[in-house]
């Protein structure tokens, strides 16, 4: 080839309405249910016996976790609605502006973090991983211009595309 071209690899449109999306949807909604059950049951009991610093941290992280999960659930429901033809892409774009998929910081060095119940910390970790996967898919679907392109010889772009593929197909 005499000329170097840019090629963008985009599978998001297909992934968003595929079995992979259905799996992501099920995982997200399952995590919402699991978290609600934990916070209303075992977590509530566990939080009552935590040291003071951990108790305050538990309360704050519970709110962040719940908010993070509700934002992800909103995105998943919007995407399902557009996939099922219940909403137009423009309607979804308008509603999607209300959904925050940006990072909610978690300070694992905060006093009391290690005193939090392991099951609670696991829910936080899983929610953060899921949030990252959804945010990557969101960028690929709705803001493809922000996704790096493959330029021959540019290893960072290749790695970015590999990361997108891994995210899209759930191989993380």
């Amino acid at each position: 080839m005499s000329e170097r071209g840019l090629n963008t690899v985009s599978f998001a449109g297909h992934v968003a309405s595929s079995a992979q999306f259905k799996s992501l949807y099920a995982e997200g909604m399952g995590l919402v249910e699991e978290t609600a059950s934990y916070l209303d049951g075992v977590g509530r009991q566990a939080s009552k016996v935590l040291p003071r610093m951990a108790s305050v941290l538990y309360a704050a992280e519970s709110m962040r976790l719940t908010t993070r999960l509700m934002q992800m659930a909103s995105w998943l429901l919007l995407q399902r609605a557009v996939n099922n033809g219940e909403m137009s892409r423009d309607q979804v774009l308008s509603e999607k502006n209300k959904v925050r998929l940006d990072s909610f910081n978690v300070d694992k060095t905060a006093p009391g973090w290690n005193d939090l119940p392991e099951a609670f910390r696991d829910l936080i970790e899983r929610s953060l991983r899921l949030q990252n996967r959804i945010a990557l898919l969101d960028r690929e679907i709705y803001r493809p211009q922000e996704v790096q392109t493959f330029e021959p010889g540019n290893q960072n772009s290749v790695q970015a595309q590999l990361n997108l593929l891994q995210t899209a197909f759930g191989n993380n």
Side-chain angles (χ1 to χ4, degrees):
M1 266 188 192
S2 60
E3 125 185 14
R4 274 175 49 174
L6 295 177
N7 300 308
T8 300
V9 178
S10 176
F11 297 107
H14 299 291
V15 171
S17 60
S18 70
Q20 285 82 15
F21 174 76
K22 290 176 184 167
S23 175
L24 182 68
Y25 180 87
E27 181 183 348
M29 293 307 178
L31 188 57
V32 167
E33 288 179 29
E34 182 183 349
T35 300
S37 177
Y38 175 84
L39 292 175
D40 285 341
V42 175
R44 183 176 306 226
Q45 296 305 315
S47 70
K48 291 179 181 179
V49 297
L50 291 173
R52 178 151 171 67
M53 288 302 291
S55 181
V56 171
L57 185 60
Y58 182 91
E61 289 301 330
S62 293
M63 287 189 290
R64 286 187 190 118
L65 175 61
T66 302
T67 300
R68 184 181 315 115
L69 289 170
M70 290 301 101
Q71 294 297 309
M72 288 187 290
S74 295
W75 188 91
L76 290 167
L77 288 167
L78 285 170
Q79 190 58 49
R80 186 180 74 169
V82 77
N83 291 346
N84 292 339
E86 298 164 2
M87 293 178 78
S88 72
R89 184 177 169 95
D90 289 339
Q91 288 172 313
V92 169
L93 286 172
S94 174
E95 290 300 313
K96 207 177 81 52
N97 289 332
K98 301 171 190 172
V99 176
R100 290 187 54 213
L101 293 174
D102 53 343
S103 182
F104 292 90
N105 294 330
V106 174
D107 183 4
K108 297 176 188 171
T109 63
W113 177 262
N114 292 328
D115 293 325
L116 294 175
E118 185 177 340
F120 181 67
R121 289 181 298 177
D122 179 61
L123 288 169
I124 291 171
E125 287 295 327
R126 289 170 45 209
S127 74
L128 290 169
R129 285 193 305 269
L130 185 63
Q131 178 187 26
N132 286 333
R133 288 172 47 209
I134 289 173
L136 281 170
L137 186 57
D138 178 75
R139 284 192 297 275
E140 177 69 13
I141 295 169
Y142 296 103
R143 296 176 292 180
Q145 69 279 6
E146 293 180 18
V147 175
Q148 291 184 355
T149 57
F150 171 76
E151 186 175 343
N154 184 343
Q155 289 182 333
N156 290 334
S157 292
V158 172
Q159 187 59 50
Q161 289 299 320
L162 289 173
N163 290 342
L164 285 171
L165 289 171
Q166 287 175 336
T167 299
F169 293 103
N171 297 330
N172 52 348

